[in-house]
Amino acid sequence: MSTLDKQTPQQTSGKEKKVFIKTFGCQMNVYDSERMSDALAKDGYSETTNVDDADLVLLNTCHIREKAAEKVYSDLGRINKTKEKRLAAGGKDMKVAVAGCVAQAEGKEILRRSPVVDLVIGPQTYHQLPNALERVHQGKRVVETEFTEDDKFEHLPKAEKKQIRSRGVTAFLTVQEGCDKFCTFCVVPYTRGSEVSRPANQLISEAESLVAAGVREITLLGQNVNAWHGEGGDGREWGLGELLHELAKIEGLDRLRYTTSHPRDMDQSLINAHRDIEKLMPYLHLPVQSGSDKILKSMNRRHTRDEYIKLMKRIRDVRPDLALSGDFIVGFPGETEEDFEDTLDLIRQVEYAQAYSFKYSPRPGTPGADFDNHVPEDIKADRLKRLQTLLAEQQLAFSQQCVGKDIDLLLEKKGKREGQLIGRSPWLQSVIVDAKESQIGDIIKVRITRAAPNSLEADII
Ligand code: SAH
Ligand code: SF4
Ligand code: F3S
């Protein structure tokens, strides 16, 4: 029996309102969903994990590949059924909002395709969510996707301590948003707008609040996080390296990470930060997309394969235990077997600890979609399989090298078995440990004993 059957109209007309939030896409969407939840909390909404129970359903969407975007419509279809069933049974009304990158890219087209949607709100306007919902409650269908000059972060309420802690001992913090690079395959410059860095003082104060609430690890986020720049406390212009130095001074903050970087913005001060800042974890996600100069050029990545390989060497020189991670696209228009083999060769030279790889998905409005020589789907699928086989081998080899090492482990959540806890290694691997005496949030010393493809096992030492 669903909760729906148990509800009576009296029970639901009270002040307490429930929002069901589903997040698609990247970590920035996770951060945004949290900010939207904080904004809604001020309006009396608490989060529910049960759609049946929701007064408001909020889908925070991703437009990066076709599959991600289409998934939103199948979800909306299901939500529509839930809503109709509930209304037919005399239950409460349900409002439906689509936020995020599909909202920005498709705007009012979403209202046309999906009559159940009441509100479409883009990533740069979600500070207007409470106001937009008010208009929805007056019976309007609202589209809120204009880019404004407003600093949305200034307008968003701060999260409560309890709320922050309930989200865990690790947290995301968006420091930079948007992109001016216009890779020819990518929708992000259109959905997130142009590159903006948040001011250093705003970020330091948000980081301090996170730590005061019990957060021990912060991952700085940006579509081009290493392009972050701003005026520092000393009046000089800072880059991400300097910001990391400053954040590392926060007492109680034990670990820092950042993602996603662009090879063009990896400056010396950031590279040195990997040598000098103990709290900065030895992990770097630096997408390259392809190992072929011809394809890199037509993707508008603005660097060569050699420049990337040399850069990776320079970073490893200052921090030899660094785990490297990357993103790859196979089957970009014009990619030949030879181009693809150049990518495999680059992977063999760099040796990744972790990676994400995708078949090229033509996106409306991007230059790549109009290029000639699209690669047939079956060839894309075959290349992806070969690429992933190689990357999986490298990932396992990296994990196997970790066996026998003693590491600090930040415990993040409970494991499947009683007494088991799961944490992250400095290299971002999941590590399972029997640690009855420890608690989530502790950093404990462990010895890695076993490597499986997606996790490690360890013993307390
Ligand atoms: N800002 C980051 C990436 C953002 S998108 C960067 O510059 O690297 C995350 C990843 O999705 C990209 O690195 C790319 O590998 C993949 N991606 C983006 N657009 C894509 C498309 N049209 N088809 C397939 N994969 C894509
Ligand atoms: Fe997209 Fe390229 Fe910008 Fe990354 S750098 S967000 S891949 S346009
Ligand atoms: Fe997707 Fe937008 Fe992130 S398109 S990957 S949710 S920036």
Side-chain angles (χ1 to χ4, degrees):
M1 191 200 219
S2 77
T3 43
L4 170 71
D5 303 319
K6 284 182 251 165
Q7 260 158 358
T8 64
Q10 283 84 344
Q11 264 179 309
T12 57
S13 60
K15 277 227 169 68
E16 207 204 340
K17 293 175 281 183
K18 299 263 182 206
V19 56
F20 172 87
I21 304 180
K22 179 165 175 186
T23 307
F24 303 79
C26 63
Q27 288 120 320
M28 195 174 285
N29 261 11
V30 174
Y31 178 81
D32 289 347
S33 289
E34 292 175 355
R35 293 289 74 74
M36 287 191 273
S37 169
D38 296 340
L40 290 167
K42 298 277 180 241
D43 258 13
Y45 282 92
S46 60
E47 274 191 62
T48 173
T49 51
N50 181 3
V51 169
D52 280 352
D53 208 20
D55 300 275
L56 172 66
V57 172
L58 178 61
L59 302 182
N60 194 12
T61 61
C62 174
H63 200 242
I64 203 82
R65 285 167 289 275
E66 190 182 354
K67 248 198 204 142
E70 284 306 310
K71 221 173 157 286
V72 175
Y73 289 100
S74 50
D75 272 31
L76 285 170
R78 269 197 302 275
I79 290 161
N80 190 26
K81 283 205 186 103
T82 307
K83 174 174 170 162
E84 279 177 356
K85 209 169 108 194
R86 192 164 85 187
L87 285 174
K92 60 181 177 177
D93 190 19
M94 175 189 280
K95 298 294 181 199
V96 179
V98 176
C101 291
V102 176
Q104 190 61 45
E106 297 188 5
K108 61 177 187 298
E109 170 69 12
I110 299 175
L111 297 186
R112 198 190 58 77
R113 255 184 91 174
S114 188
V116 71
V117 176
D118 301 288
L119 168 65
V120 175
I121 188 158
Q124 299 311 344
T125 31
Y126 64 70
H127 54 299
Q128 294 170 18
L129 185 59
N131 173 289
L133 278 174
E134 224 168 85
R135 282 178 282 148
V136 165
H137 285 295
Q138 289 159 9
K140 298 196 177 91
R141 297 181 87 197
V142 179
V143 178
E144 199 64 85
T145 51
E146 288 293 312
F147 287 123
T148 62
E149 290 292 303
D150 278 13
D151 177 355
K152 70 177 172 207
F153 298 105
E154 285 286 348
H155 293 86
L156 285 165
K158 286 213 168 78
E160 305 283 339
K161 248 186 185 177
K162 216 174 75 200
Q163 183 87 334
I164 296 175
R165 188 59 189 80
S166 74
R167 290 171 180 152
V169 293
T170 62
F172 294 130
L173 171 53
T174 292
V175 302
Q176 177 281 338
E177 195 171 350
C179 182
D180 297 335
K181 293 210 163 54
F182 292 92
C183 302
T184 51
F185 52 83
C186 182
V187 294
V188 171
Y190 312 96
T191 62
R192 292 273 168 177
S194 54
E195 229 174 84
V196 177
S197 293
R198 293 179 66 190
N201 54 5
Q202 204 187 59
L203 297 169
I204 293 163
S205 120
E206 191 169 328
E208 283 168 347
S209 319
L210 291 170
V211 174
V215 166
R216 301 197 71 177
E217 174 181 301
I218 295 180
T219 302
L220 309 183
L221 300 181
Q223 269 88 37
N224 279 282
V225 70
N226 56 345
W228 181 90
H229 61 98
E231 192 186 321
D234 55 7
R236 284 187 311 125
E237 177 79 0
W238 283 0
L240 190 68
E242 285 78 21
L243 180 66
L244 284 163
H245 271 284
E246 199 58 30
L247 292 170
K249 290 181 191 159
I250 299 176
E251 219 171 297
L253 177 60
D254 297 289
R255 295 177 156 203
L256 281 162
R257 302 179 187 274
Y258 62 93
T259 198
T260 295
S261 298
H262 192 284
R264 295 259 309 189
D265 296 317
M266 223 42 228
D267 65 18
Q268 194 59 42
S269 118
L270 182 56
I271 294 176
N272 292 346
H274 280 282
R275 178 193 62 199
D276 301 332
I277 304 178
E278 211 183 318
K279 291 180 181 180
L280 182 58
M281 291 295 103
Y283 184 93
L284 176 65
H285 183 63
L286 197 61
V288 64
Q289 318 298 353
S290 166
S292 148
D293 278 336
K294 182 188 94 191
I295 297 297
L296 284 171
K297 189 154 197 284
S298 106
M299 286 177 163
N300 191 32
R301 292 292 289 183
R302 296 188 287 167
H303 62 77
T304 62
R305 65 177 268 131
D306 251 20
E307 282 163 351
Y308 178 85
I309 293 170
K310 284 201 182 107
L311 174 63
M312 288 304 221
K313 285 209 179 93
R314 268 171 61 212
I315 305 168
R316 270 205 174 117
D317 282 347
V318 306
R319 186 77 207 228
D321 70 335
L322 196 78
L324 289 173
S325 154
D327 288 346
F328 299 89
I329 295 176
V330 298
F332 188 72
E335 185 187 75
T336 61
E337 174 63 22
E338 205 186 338
D339 294 319
F340 172 66
E341 277 167 20
D342 283 346
T343 304
L344 295 179
D345 180 70
L346 178 140
I347 293 171
R348 284 190 199 100
Q349 289 196 41
V350 173
E351 293 187 57
Y352 290 89
Q354 165 76 267
Y356 303 87
S357 46
F358 314 96
K359 285 189 280 186
Y360 171 66
S361 168
R363 305 307 290 130
T366 61
D370 297 327
F371 286 177
D372 296 331
N373 299 323
H374 278 266
V375 174
E377 273 310 304
D378 57 333
I379 295 184
K380 284 187 200 171
D382 173 66
R383 288 182 188 163
L384 186 67
K385 211 166 130 202
R386 287 154 66 199
L387 185 99
Q388 289 184 336
T389 304
L390 175 60
L391 289 168
E393 276 167 25
Q394 293 195 343
Q395 185 177 340
L396 187 60
F398 180 84
S399 290
Q400 279 163 347
Q401 283 167 33
C402 294
V403 174
K405 281 190 187 161
D406 296 345
I407 59 160
D408 288 331
L409 185 65
L410 169 58
L411 299 171
E412 291 182 20
K413 56 181 183 194
K414 285 196 175 134
K416 278 200 198 110
R417 277 188 287 124
E418 181 74 26
Q420 232 178 28
L421 289 168
I422 300 180
R424 294 274 186 178
S425 75
W427 309 287
L428 210 56
Q429 300 135 304
S430 282
V431 183
I432 305 166
V433 64
D434 276 315
K436 286 183 194 62
E437 310 294 310
S438 310
Q439 306 181 26
I440 290 170
D442 289 350
I443 295 180
I444 59 172
K445 291 243 179 267
V446 301
R447 177 161 302 155
I448 297 168
T449 53
R450 218 176 78 87
N454 291 312
S455 63
L456 301 173
E457 287 171 22
D459 289 338
I460 294 190
I461 44 178

